[in-house]
Amino acid sequence: MLWFESDYTVGAHPAVLAALVATNGENLASYGADVYTLRAKEKIRAACGGRGEVYLLAGGTQTNMLTISAMLASHEGVIAAETGHVASHEAGAIEHTGHKVLTLPHSEGKISAAQVDAFVEAFYADPVYAHMVHPGMVYISQPTEYGTLYSLAELEALRAVCDRRGLPLYCDGARLGYALACPENDVSMADLARLCDAFYIGGTKVGALCGEALVFREGAAPRAFLTYTKQEGAMLCKGRLTGVQFDALFTDGLYEKIGSVAIGCAAALRRALREKGYAEHIAAPTNQIFVRMTREKYEQLRPSVAFSFWEPLDAEMCVVRFVTSWATRPEDVEQLCALL
Amino acid sequence: MLWFESDYTVGAHPAVLAALVATNGENLASYGADVYTLRAKEKIRAACGGRGEVYLLAGGTQTNMLTISAMLASHEGVIAAETGHVASHEAGAIEHTGHKVLTLPHSEGKISAAQVDAFVEAFYADPVYAHMVHPGMVYISQPTEYGTLYSLAELEALRAVCDRRGLPLYCDGARLGYALACPENDVSMADLARLCDAFYIGGTKVGALCGEALVFREGAAPRAFLTYTKQEGAMLCKGRLTGVQFDALFTDGLYEKIGSVAIGCAAALRRALREKGYAEHIAAPTNQIFVRMTREKYEQLRPSVAFSFWEPLDAEMCVVRFVTSWATRPEDVEQLCALL
Amino acid sequence: MLWFESDYTVGAHPAVLAALVATNGENLASYGADVYTLRAKEKIRAACGGRGEVYLLAGGTQTNMLTISAMLASHEGVIAAETGHVASHEAGAIEHTGHKVLTLPHSEGKISAAQVDAFVEAFYADPVYAHMVHPGMVYISQPTEYGTLYSLAELEALRAVCDRRGLPLYCDGARLGYALACPENDVSMADLARLCDAFYIGGTKVGALCGEALVFREGAAPRAFLTYTKQEGAMLCKGRLTGVQFDALFTDGLYEKIGSVAIGCAAALRRALREKGYAEHIAAPTNQIFVRMTREKYEQLRPSVAFSFWEPLDAEMCVVRFVTSWATRPEDVEQLCALL
Amino acid sequence: MLWFESDYTVGAHPAVLAALVATNGENLASYGADVYTLRAKEKIRAACGGRGEVYLLAGGTQTNMLTISAMLASHEGVIAAETGHVASHEAGAIEHTGHKVLTLPHSEGKISAAQVDAFVEAFYADPVYAHMVHPGMVYISQPTEYGTLYSLAELEALRAVCDRRGLPLYCDGARLGYALACPENDVSMADLARLCDAFYIGGTKVGALCGEALVFREGAAPRAFLTYTKQEGAMLCKGRLTGVQFDALFTDGLYEKIGSVAIGCAAALRRALREKGYAEHIAAPTNQIFVRMTREKYEQLRPSVAFSFWEPLDAEMCVVRFVTSWATRPEDVEQLCALL
């Protein structure tokens, strides 16, 4: 079976696993006070331009709900694309913390500075706005749920609107490693740290067994955030589990390497698909490839390839998704291409 | 340094780690649908007498808050010993889900059937009880936070009161492995499964890197509990992480072995302490030992032994805690004894 | 000034006020145990066909949030028209209780049985539905926020879908009195009681100073709902305040009379508007009239008529809203007509 | 029947009722924007020394839960006497908003500055305090649930500790009018406004049909608090209901007069009880009188006097409570005395 279903079907990157094995026997402080966690945080701060407050958490939905609920006042909601992960695929985690997701139409997974500005303008123009959920922050993802990227110019425009409107900006980087490795990308990790009030560096989908590194702008972390993570059941007793993994991911450029491998494979696959005449459904440069395919071909590939049916198009055609990761090998791509 | 500080300072038991390594490269289904998770659940069901609904979660506070909030109606609170973990050391996680912890005085960490009965009796005898938080379930821990054990008779009495009063019974088994291995213990895992509406089998403190196995009585799991775990940010994307570990813990009697090693070491240490004239502060048979010690001795041991100051007694004496685990070696105990 | 702004700008209907005055000096039981509250509940039950469990609350948003949150499990959301009051004008009260509002496109404020059915069908057809908020109940309003009415056939179709899909049906009757009095209406209070799992009979907008009467289907009230109202700060100490008012509203057909006066005035105004060539923007038969008007005319009327600018149409035209109530007098309508 | 059961068994004070009647026919702005609400707020500000931000709410539990939840961060709890209304008789409303009530032992309903200081000191001295609910504010009541009073010196000491510890101070004044009228009292409304970050002036138990006036220190009201009240279902559509009542209560010294009448009657009753040999159970100077009585006498009085059994003392004796209010007449006290 060829695996192109997602970037989280294999365990940890071998170097991450090796770090877990190497440190397993050591007696370490618990609840995130161990040396590996401290070291990982320092390395992440360095990658963020030397500033920022870092917290390690176990998963993406957890990180989103904790961050968003800690940054919003009770009467506020979070602005997001209607396709944003928080809007659709987190089982109402944001609402469960008491906050509405204020959705905007998306453009290939993205929302624009102009959209945010217009939404806020219209909100306060409504004479009964005091009876409605106030816009309290902006949520974006890089790459988006559709694999697309915000350019630096787009991000800076969003930041400018957020400044003008008094809204914090938060970026979900569940697959950030795959954005950073794209030739088309012009947004560095330091840019995100500079332009966002908070963002997270995805681990689970980028080589870790579990774990996301949440970075607040220096001085902007909510008070007693550590206690809040405990209160939400998100503080790991053996904090070493995420500490050791992120220490490894930020050693010897591993996080970048993981991204490069996946993006290299995705580029090769994209080329092959284009050559074979498949139309790309969404022009996304990262490790998710959305193409149009006949339903017949889809059924034909299924026994030998693990990949996703995305949505139906018409009686004959559908959209499918292929995903590469650090675990994808060039020969996997070649074998898949031979079957296309 | 000799480590007797807690049972979660080392990583995973070697057999658990080996299982993670062995399966790391496999492509597996995500969100808990992988074969190891399914197998782990089957093994746990078998250990519970062939019945029950099993969920794997990442940590103890998370498991407590999810279970308790899912089992209570809004107007209900959970009865617990004032020393119960949910009452004091979970950063208000239970209250954060909207529920009051209704505390009862403890007797070496335990509450009795008679206490629960009297509390409920008094509650409904109060003419304004409709203005107060209703007792909605009972929380106990086995072993307790003080390392003590409920006997089978005590548990059956609690069950009988719960039946009579219409209250579900929930048991926190964060250190369950150490209870099961005690010669003094007469409560099996199957007994817990039979007598509780829900209980959890601790992994984090019993040889896993992370993970707790929550068991609901057959048919008693809250509706759509899986979605609820997602909503609370508690569903691991790579469910294999807990699945593989619990599969290993329930293979070849590993969970029992882990308990036995720790209890063996604890018994040896307890004997040595007694012989040297230390008075046990709490008569606890599990892997936590609470003894009285001069402050001078405490200070003298600190540079070479990692253990806990528990509470002051008077100007001269204090209570300290030693904890053993699967990672404690007989020679560690011997070396500690030599220093006492 | 002629008042057509809303149906809540005047105090209580004189008969309601008289009842408050007449009973003011009596010593009565508190927290809703007084004779007037009990009598009001009995009269409401009678009006509902002799069945149902009645609770008196202070306001509409309060009633909606209490009812919806008490009827939903944590992982569930409420299906509503995107124009539903709970979706837009309650400051996120539903989300604040932890639940998402699952919005459907509206047709003049209404949603259809077919829409609900298709939504639920599509939801469970999605292979990742376990990661999404489950549809847990259906919210409608009678009359709707646009003043339109569900017919008995439409309501019965919704009920049938709800039965098939296992969803409770809840109806917001903030302006119910004005629906009941319409010649076009074929849904009685007893029909609502029969077809809904819960609905409320609006008092605040129908002659009371405050108060809504929530009716659960017999046996369907959430456990300890009274305690839940206390927990949400919604239990009035002097329950007589709502009890006396609803007792008056349900005496000598007052609730019907209030509706008739308002609907009579609305019909007269609607006729006059039609004769003068104003186009009705929404074909609504109740006490809210939405018509198209030049902006010039709107500005001209403002100094002498209190009414609402609803939305702009184009550079020249806009939509305005006139509302009648029990306090509207025929001469008010005549004077307004003279100005049109 | 003689009524000494509570201060909320009668409707509104005649002057308050008269104001409702007089204004009933006026068309007024809704949601608290009416002239009476604005006027009431100005009068209350004046009574508070000319500063403060005033909100009118419907009831005491509602006011407590809104204020406390809006002032606390998620990881914080509220310090209160174990006898505090929020700790025991509000159905877990505080916990329902996600916050633990951190109870201290009481001394006749009061807590001291020293107790609060010691609690906070001990909290931060605990090395695992990050795993526990942080003290976030202090709740007191004036008069207390036992009818006792904080002296100005006690209040100033609490304020000093709160300043030193960075804790807001909140005072529940459900029966404030009865405190202010006591000869023993040396704390004015302006003192409360100066020393508390927030406090509320009780209306429901002091002559209103419903309503409490919440006063935040100038500039200290939570952002968008009005929207928050809407979100919690606490914003009355016809805000005039509380506006007109508080306007009346703060006109011509009515609030003071109400207090004086009740305290005058209470003093007379207290004297009579003392003369007849009844021992006061709690030395409380306000409108609640707790005395010891034989059970026989209690049973003998019941058919002709409405008053409360408070708690049993022994086989023969019990504690009972008599409450006076603005509606108590001298002849009621005389008749009661004749029966004692």
Side-chain angles (χ1 to χ4, degrees), chain B residues 221-302:
Chain B
R223 273 193 308 133
F225 189 71
L226 215 62
T227 299
Y228 186 48
T229 66
K230 175 81 184 176
Q231 190 178 52
E232 286 274 22
M235 186 192 274
L236 288 173
C237 174
K238 294 183 179 171
R240 66 198 295 156
L241 174 55
T242 45
V244 167
Q245 291 186 91
F246 268 97
D247 183 38
L249 286 172
F250 278 77
T251 297
D252 295 338
L254 180 58
Y255 199 72
E256 286 71 21
K257 275 182 224 160
I258 284 174
S260 294
V261 167
I263 293 304
C265 289
L269 177 54
R270 214 170 254 122
R271 256 192 319 274
L273 284 161
R274 202 175 312 126
E275 282 163 14
K276 295 196 182 243
Y278 290 91
E280 213 164 354
H281 188 64
I282 299 163
T286 57
N287 69 321
Q288 300 186 72
I289 304 174
F290 300 87
V291 286
R292 292 173 190 160
M293 183 177 275
T294 63
R295 285 162 184 266
E296 192 189 343
K297 187 71 188 175
Y298 168 68
E299 292 298 339
Q300 183 197 319
L301 286 177
R302 282 180 68 188

Side-chain angles (χ1 to χ4, degrees), chain A residues 1 3 5-14 17 20-21 23-31 58-59 61-62 65 85 89-96 203-210 227-228 230-234 236-238 240-241 326, chain B residues 1 3 5-14 17 20-21 23-31 58-59 61-62 65 85 89-96 203-210 227-228 230-234 236-238 240-241 326:
Chain A
M1 178 69 82
W3 285 81
E5 192 179 295
S6 79
D7 34 22
Y8 45 81
T9 55
V10 181
H13 185 280
L17 188 68
L20 285 172
V21 171
T23 59
N24 187 66
E26 298 177 22
N27 278 284
L28 295 175
S30 51
Y31 299 112
T61 295
Q62 186 179 75
M65 70 186 279
H85 208 254
H89 284 96
E90 300 191 349
I94 304 305
E95 289 84 0
H96 188 58
T204 305
K205 293 174 177 169
V206 194
L209 272 170
C210 69
T227 300
Y228 186 48
K230 175 79 184 178
Q231 189 177 52
E232 285 274 21
L236 288 173
C237 175
K238 295 183 178 171
R240 66 198 295 156
L241 175 55
W326 56 270
Chain B
M1 178 70 81
W3 285 81
E5 193 180 295
S6 79
D7 35 22
Y8 44 82
T9 55
V10 182
H13 186 279
L17 187 68
L20 284 172
V21 171
T23 59
N24 187 66
E26 298 177 23
N27 278 284
L28 295 175
S30 50
Y31 299 111
T61 295
Q62 186 177 77
M65 68 185 280
H85 209 255
H89 284 95
E90 300 190 350
I94 305 306
E95 289 85 359
H96 189 58
T204 305
K205 294 176 177 168
V206 194
L209 273 169
C210 69
T227 299
Y228 186 48
K230 175 81 184 176
Q231 190 178 52
E232 286 274 22
L236 288 173
C237 174
K238 294 183 179 171
R240 66 198 295 156
L241 174 55
W326 57 269

Side-chain angles (χ1 to χ4, degrees), chain A residues 230-252:
Chain A
K230 175 79 184 178
Q231 189 177 52
E232 285 274 21
M235 185 191 276
L236 288 173
C237 175
K238 295 183 178 171
R240 66 198 295 156
L241 175 55
T242 46
V244 167
Q245 291 186 91
F246 268 97
D247 183 39
L249 285 172
F250 278 77
T251 298
D252 296 337

